[in-house]
Amino acid sequence: MKKDIETKMAVFPMPVLMIAAYDEDHKTTKNIRAVKAFTVSLADTKNIAVADFFGIATGNKMADKFERTDFHAVKSSHVNAPIIEEFPVVMECELAEIVETENLHAVVGKIINAQADENILDAKGKVDAAKINALIFDQFQDSYYSVGEKVGKAWHEGAPLMKPKK
């Protein structure tokens, strides 16, 4: 039986993403609008403290976020945005649109290039989710979890249900 719970804007699992854009005054969305480019990095368990810090600290009030972490931002060779070297996967994006409604503010990007650390790739050169140890955010408990165990194959597990019952 289900029980009514606190109404909360929550999605689980929620990936922990680090959004980076070049700026003059540390206001990410304004910078994305101006520069029309940004990067999206996947945070991993190895870098949980910095990922959490980047989420807590606003660049609007703290100009030295990178100096406090000893992390490094390098210019992407594909878009006008920084890549945070220490996170294992990055997508380099051009701004496609910004959607704003009463309940939503969403930045939509076109992925121009993606990069991944070699140590998280499988033998075919594809990202291996078990090797990333990607962080996910639990909005219900304000907690982080790690992704890693493969439990099935997409587009395969439900295939037998495509056949009608006899």
Side-chain angles (χ1 to χ4, degrees), residues 17 20 22 24 29 40 48 50 57 64 72 76 81 84 91 100 104 108 127-129 134 141 144 151 161 163:
L17 303 174
Y22 283 128
E24 294 178 13
T29 301
V40 178
I48 187 172
V50 173
D64 63 344
H72 304 90
S76 161
I84 303 171
M91 293 161 278
E100 294 188 65
L104 172 75
V108 181
V127 172
D128 183 341
Q141 299 289 327
Y144 294 112
V151 296
L161 297 173
K163 299 176 185 173

Side-chain angles (χ1 to χ4, degrees), residues 3-10 139-142:
K3 180 180 177 182
D4 291 343
I5 60 172
E6 172 189 5
T7 302
K8 193 170 192 175
M9 291 191 56
Q139 293 169 307
F140 297 105
Q141 299 289 327
D142 294 333

Side-chain angles (χ1 to χ4, degrees), residues 18 30 36 51 65 76 106 112 117 121 128-129 147-148 158:
M18 300 291 111
K30 285 185 178 181
K36 309 271 190 258
K65 284 171 65 169
S76 161
I112 303 302
D117 290 345
L121 301 178
D128 183 341
V147 176

Side-chain angles (χ1 to χ4, degrees), residues 6-166:
E6 172 189 5
T7 302
K8 193 170 192 175
M9 291 191 56
V11 174
F12 184 83
M14 172 70 73
V16 177
L17 303 174
M18 300 291 111
I19 313 300
Y22 283 128
D23 62 336
E24 294 178 13
D25 55 8
H26 306 285
K27 294 182 174 92
T28 305
T29 301
K30 285 185 178 181
N31 299 325
I32 291 171
R33 286 182 197 274
V35 177
K36 309 271 190 258
F38 59 98
T39 60
V40 178
S41 297
L42 298 178
D44 57 344
T45 56
K46 180 174 81 174
N47 297 303
I48 187 172
V50 173
D52 191 55
F53 167 71
F54 281 170
I56 296 168
T58 173
N60 295 325
K61 296 178 181 174
M62 187 181 295
D64 63 344
K65 284 171 65 169
F66 272 90
E67 289 81 9
R68 290 180 187 219
T69 65
D70 293 327
F71 269 40
H72 304 90
V74 298
K75 185 177 185 334
S76 161
S77 58
H78 299 280
V79 299
N80 187 20
I83 292 172
I84 303 171
E85 289 187 314
E86 287 77 9
F87 291 118
V89 177
V90 63
M91 293 161 278
E92 301 158 88
C93 305
E94 290 178 349
L95 177 63
E97 66 180 310
I98 296 181
V99 178
E100 294 188 65
T101 70
E102 181 181 337
N103 299 309
L104 172 75
H105 172 93
V107 175
V108 181
K110 176 182 178 187
I111 300 171
I112 303 302
N113 189 56
Q115 295 183 25
D117 290 345
E118 289 182 17
N119 64 344
I120 63 161
L121 301 178
D122 66 13
K124 294 180 182 177
K126 293 186 177 185
V127 172
D128 183 341
K131 293 180 180 179
I132 296 174
N133 292 313
L135 285 176
I136 54 174
F137 176 52
D138 172 5
Q139 293 169 307
F140 297 105
Q141 299 289 327
D142 294 333
S143 299
Y144 294 112
Y145 292 86
S146 176
V147 176
E149 181 184 357
K150 180 178 176 180
V151 296
K153 180 93 172 125
W155 325 125
H156 177 78
E157 302 300 325
L161 297 173
M162 294 297 291
K163 299 176 185 173
K165 289 184 177 182
K166 293 183 180 182

